[in-house]
Amino acid sequence: MSHTVEILKRRSEFLRVASAKRSFATPGLVLQVRETPKGAVDAPHATIRVGYTASKKIGNAVTRNRARRRLRSVVADTLPTMAIAGYDYVVIARFASPKRPYTTLLRDMKRALKQLSLLQSSSGKAANKAVKQGEQDKISGDTFLNQGKSSTKTA
């Protein structure tokens, strides 16, 4: 099933995704994820919202733009068919992003989706696991997945 991809544009949207502290880093990219807020899109079950960022640590403007273009291409090839809809994704370029082989960037994205339990499977197991994870977050307080490790935030 292919999902509609929309672009995150406002800083507040990026900050909201980052505040979830649910992310996974690979050598080529960092993927941050948070559920799409209710009312943000007309059809949340069929929409994926994505934002891209590359800091000055990556290099000059030409290098940052190259990194963002490559990440947009990776997202276009993976998220519409492999990711679970109803989430906002922020893809952050890393130093290796501009020069990393494209197939390796694709593998990095798939690995990040799998680690965050957002890789869509044909049987729907990943979707069920993500729903259970969301329910667990609501029940147990604020449980976060950061860099593949679980930790609990206390108020």
Side-chain angles (χ1 to χ4, degrees):
M1 178 181 191
S2 184
H3 303 293
T4 306
V5 176
E6 294 181 5
I7 304 297
L8 297 175
K9 295 181 181 176
R10 288 185 293 236
R11 182 174 190 267
S12 61
E13 295 171 330
F14 282 82
L15 293 176
R16 190 186 61 74
V17 174
S19 71
K21 301 203 185 311
R22 189 170 175 199
S23 66
F24 188 79
T26 65
L29 57 90
V30 176
L31 182 64
Q32 297 177 331
V33 182
R34 184 164 187 169
E35 282 189 77
T36 302
K38 299 201 184 316
V41 291
D42 294 334
H45 61 280
T47 304
I48 294 173
R49 300 191 324 162
V50 183
Y52 307 92
T53 185
S55 72
K56 288 187 177 181
K57 292 179 190 178
I58 304 299
N60 63 17
V62 173
T63 305
R64 292 193 307 271
N65 288 332
R66 179 179 295 124
R68 277 192 296 269
R69 276 195 309 271
R70 290 174 57 99
L71 293 177
R72 276 194 296 268
S73 180
V74 166
V75 165
D77 287 346
T78 57
L79 290 188
T81 56
M82 296 181 185
I84 296 175
Y87 286 86
D88 292 347
Y89 298 85
V90 172
V91 184
I92 303 171
R94 298 194 75 182
F95 187 76
S97 297
K99 295 183 181 178
R100 198 158 169 87
Y102 186 74
T103 55
T104 310
L105 280 175
L106 286 171
R107 196 171 352 153
D108 288 346
M109 177 61 80
K110 290 175 189 174
R111 181 169 171 235
L113 287 170
K114 185 176 179 181
Q115 289 292 326
L116 294 169
S117 301
L118 294 170
L119 187 61
Q120 191 175 48
S121 66
S122 58
S123 64
K125 289 181 184 175
N128 292 335
K129 188 174 180 180
V131 169
K132 288 179 185 175
Q133 176 68 32
E135 291 170 1
Q136 180 185 4
D137 289 349
K138 292 175 187 172
I139 293 169
S140 67
D142 293 317
T143 303
F144 299 113
L145 181 66
N146 189 11
Q147 303 290 334
K149 300 173 189 166
S150 292
S151 63
T152 305
K153 178 182 173 185
T154 57

